[in-house]
């Protein structure tokens, strides 16, 4: 249990990759603030399950990642409840697939807010405490789309390239404070986010569901396999370990070879 005295905030952790990361950090002994939307009963079940299974404390923050004040309050809630926020995982994200000329302006703004600006707001709230304690881990869930592009995902690719730049900048700013800042960049991971974009990709490209899965999604991954949420979570845990204290400012792909091409 390498994270026994630590506390973490994981944004967008009521589902998919974020939930797997929150559970993996809790398994290593960290108290966790989970965050995100969903059915209240299902969220409470996950929260209570984390406490029961791993013997840590878990609370849910309903903060909306488009609202700077709520994001700041989420970090303060973690600090008030646990005494510190030592690990911040900026993971919340949404996707929208459309040719640029039809891309709804409000969707562009929402994606930039959730996938990029929310990380800035959480970071600026959490960094003073991390600096004061001389230890911190900031992990941003970026994407293979922080390194390469795909058509019809203009806002997502722009936001993910942005978070890669924010990661590098912040890593330099806090390097002497015992704080590391890195991105994990998964390829396609089978989560609701991927499932939900299949109908729009079918429409945008005129393909069947099977064609989207095999010829668009897995086409990008030389291994022809989806990444799993547990694999991403294991890398996040490693980045929180002492062995990773000299890994900072990096963008670590986990994409079945996608970005090697
Ligand atoms: P998901 O849809 O399963 O989970 C997204 C989470 O974000 C949910 O908990 C949701 O409630 C939360 N969320 C959405 N809007 C929010 C808001 N306004 N405020 C607070 N929470 C909000 O998605 P996922 O696939 O687990 O994606 C998680 C992250 O991983 C995203 O940043 C995504 O871009 C990235 N990613 C996913 C894949 C993939 O293939 N699934 C690949 C690369 C990167």
């Amino acid at each position: 249990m390498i994270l026994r005295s630590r506390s973490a905030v994981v944004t967008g952790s009521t589902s998919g990759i974020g939930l797997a990361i929150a559970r993996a950090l809790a398994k290593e002994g960290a108290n966790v603030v989970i965050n995100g939307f969903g059915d209240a009963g299902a969220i409470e079940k996950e929260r209570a399950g984390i406490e029961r299974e791993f013997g840590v404390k878990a609370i849910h923050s309903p903060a909306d990642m488009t609202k700077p004040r709520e994001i700041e309050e989420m970090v303060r809630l973690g600090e008030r409840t646990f005494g510190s926020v030592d690990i911040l995982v900026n993971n919340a994200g949404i996707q929208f697939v459309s040719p640029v000329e039809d891309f709804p302006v409000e969707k562009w703004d929402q994606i930039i807010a959730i996938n990029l600006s929310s990380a800035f707001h959480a970071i600026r709230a959490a960094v003073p405490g991390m600096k004061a304690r001389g230890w911190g881990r900031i992990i941003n869930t970026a994407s293979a789309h922080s390194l390469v592009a795909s058509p019809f995902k203009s806002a997502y690719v722009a936001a993910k390239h942005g978070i890669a730049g924010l990661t590098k900048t912040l890593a330099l700013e806090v390097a002497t404070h015992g704080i590391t800042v890195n991105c994990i960049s998964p390829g396609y991971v089978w989560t609701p986010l991927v499932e939900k974009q299949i109908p729009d990709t079918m429409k945008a490209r005129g393909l069947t569901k099977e064609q989207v899965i095999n010829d668009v999604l897995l086409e990008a991954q030389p291994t022809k396999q989806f990444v799993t949420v547990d694999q991403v979570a294991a890398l996040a845990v490693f980045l929180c370990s002492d062995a990773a204290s000299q890994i900072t400012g990096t963008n670590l792909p986990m994409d079945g070879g996608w970005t090697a091409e």
Side-chain angles (χ1 to χ4, degrees):
M1 295 239 279
I2 62 168
L3 301 175
R4 200 188 274 281
S5 56
R6 307 293 187 193
S7 299
V9 171
V10 184
T11 72
S13 51
T14 53
S15 168
I17 295 169
L19 179 57
I21 292 176
R23 287 179 52 81
L25 297 176
K27 191 175 181 192
E28 290 299 333
N31 296 320
V32 289
V33 179
I34 59 171
N35 157 259
F37 301 149
D39 172 70
I43 294 172
E44 174 53 22
K45 204 168 152 209
E46 287 295 351
R47 188 204 65 77
I50 289 172
E51 289 197 336
R52 205 178 39 248
E53 233 177 293
F54 306 120
V56 298
K57 286 202 183 318
I59 53 173
H60 174 247
S61 159
D64 179 341
M65 291 301 107
T66 65
K67 308 240 164 72
R69 280 239 309 276
E70 293 186 20
I71 297 167
E72 192 172 349
E73 174 48 29
M74 171 188 66
V75 173
R76 300 289 165 250
L77 176 71
E79 290 175 335
R80 274 199 312 274
T81 310
F82 302 136
S84 63
V85 170
D86 310 295
I87 299 164
L88 170 65
V89 183
N90 292 302
N91 168 82
I94 60 165
Q95 176 60 284
F96 193 81
V97 181
S98 163
V100 74
E101 64 271 32
D102 302 327
F103 211 97
V105 170
E106 60 278 11
K107 273 289 166 201
W108 171 277
D109 289 342
Q110 199 188 7
I111 289 179
I112 299 299
I114 297 171
N115 297 20
L116 176 58
S117 302
S118 74
F120 161 70
H121 295 299
I123 286 167
R124 67 187 176 83
V127 157
M130 290 180 180
K131 276 188 175 173
R133 289 181 297 278
W135 197 93
R137 293 288 188 268
I138 297 171
I139 299 169
N140 299 318
T141 309
S143 164
H145 281 124
S146 73
L147 295 160
V148 295
S150 299
F152 312 123
K153 296 182 176 176
S154 51
Y156 188 88
V157 173
K160 293 299 186 182
H161 276 64
I163 203 152
L166 174 64
T167 300
K168 289 198 274 190
T169 306
L170 188 70
L172 299 180
E173 286 187 31
V174 299
T176 58
H177 294 273
I179 305 169
T180 69
V181 192
N182 293 286
C183 301
I184 297 177
S185 284
Y188 284 106
V189 189
W190 190 256
T191 68
L193 180 139
V194 166
E195 241 179 310
K196 274 189 272 181
Q197 68 187 275
I198 290 175
D200 287 342
T201 308
M202 286 165 65
K203 209 166 97 192
R205 296 190 185 225
L207 298 174
T208 66
K209 183 177 178 187
E210 289 64 36
Q211 284 171 324
V212 171
I213 291 175
N214 295 312
D215 303 345
V216 179
L217 303 181
L218 291 181
E219 171 60 18
Q221 281 179 204
T223 57
K224 302 298 173 207
Q225 289 178 29
F226 286 99
V227 179
T228 71
V229 293
D230 291 333
Q231 289 169 334
V232 179
L235 181 53
V237 168
F238 176 71
L239 286 173
C240 293
S241 71
D242 288 341
S245 68
Q246 294 305 312
I247 301 177
T248 195
T250 68
N251 187 346
L252 299 166
M254 184 182 276
D255 60 9
W258 174 352
T259 54
E261 289 195 294

